[in-house]
Amino acid sequence: MADMVNTVLILNGPNLNMLGTREPEIYGSQTLADIEALCAGQAEGLGVGIDFRQSNAEGELVDWIQGAPDCAAAIIINAGAYTHTSVALLDALRTANLPVIEVHLSNIFQREKFRHESYISQAAAGVICGFGAHGYEMALQAAARILADG
Ligand code: DQA
């Protein structure tokens, strides 16, 4: 049974609600709902729970990260473009003090130079990028391992 001690909060930032129609040559054809379903299946197999959210608003993401210690034991985050700009998200992640796994659908290092820098990475246990939706499953596996290892 999933409870706070084995719930993984999966946060998605701006424009990820547009997956499926957004630049499919970069992000693929799966929608965010497809990715959520993928994560739910993976989580069941791993014996962890998920709380899957998306927001276009930086402040809402900060609020959710601030609340994370009360509802989750780890955070998976694809902060979208805020990855490359947001000191506020970095500060919130550091304050939450939970294991963080950063995910990107695309290989950000193969893209424009401004995408090569991530503020989030400084608070992350690890980063998975370039594997599309499968990266979320990999991140869940990593989170489950971190939680099992205590
Ligand atoms: C992204 C990469 C970011 O550079 C971009 O702004 C996104 C999506 C990814 O999943 O590949 O919105 O985080």
Side-chain angles (χ1 to χ4, degrees):
M1 204 190 74
D3 56 24
M4 199 183 114
V5 295
N6 67 357
T7 294
V8 181
L9 181 61
I10 306 179
L11 297 180
N12 295 278
N15 298 306
L16 292 167
N17 56 315
M18 300 305 288
L19 288 178
T21 52
R22 175 192 182 196
E23 300 181 276
E25 64 290 355
I26 295 174
Y27 298 114
S29 57
Q30 280 168 301
T31 65
L32 196 61
D34 293 335
I35 293 176
E36 180 172 4
L38 212 60
C39 287
Q42 172 85 349
E44 201 174 318
L46 290 167
V48 299
I50 60 166
D51 182 346
F52 193 97
R53 306 183 197 178
Q54 188 275 333
S55 178
N56 291 326
E58 186 175 13
E60 185 162 39
L61 292 163
V62 169
D63 288 342
W64 287 343
I65 294 166
Q66 286 182 4
D70 297 326
C71 68
I75 299 172
I76 293 172
I77 182 163
N78 181 351
Y82 294 144
T83 303
H84 319 295
T85 62
S86 181
V87 178
L89 288 181
L90 170 61
D91 288 348
L93 288 168
R94 282 192 168 140
T95 304
N97 201 25
L98 295 175
V100 174
I101 297 154
E102 178 181 352
V103 175
H104 301 285
L105 295 156
S106 64
N107 181 349
I108 54 175
F109 301 104
Q110 248 170 22
R111 303 182 61 196
E112 304 96 319
K113 200 135 196 349
F114 63 83
R115 295 185 203 274
H116 297 186
E117 173 116 12
S118 165
Y119 285 99
I120 307 296
S121 296
Q122 298 204 27
V127 184
I128 296 163
C129 78
F131 295 99
H134 183 47
Y136 282 72
E137 294 181 287
M138 296 162 98
L140 261 176
Q141 204 174 355
R145 176 69 64 90
I146 289 170
L147 295 182
D149 287 352

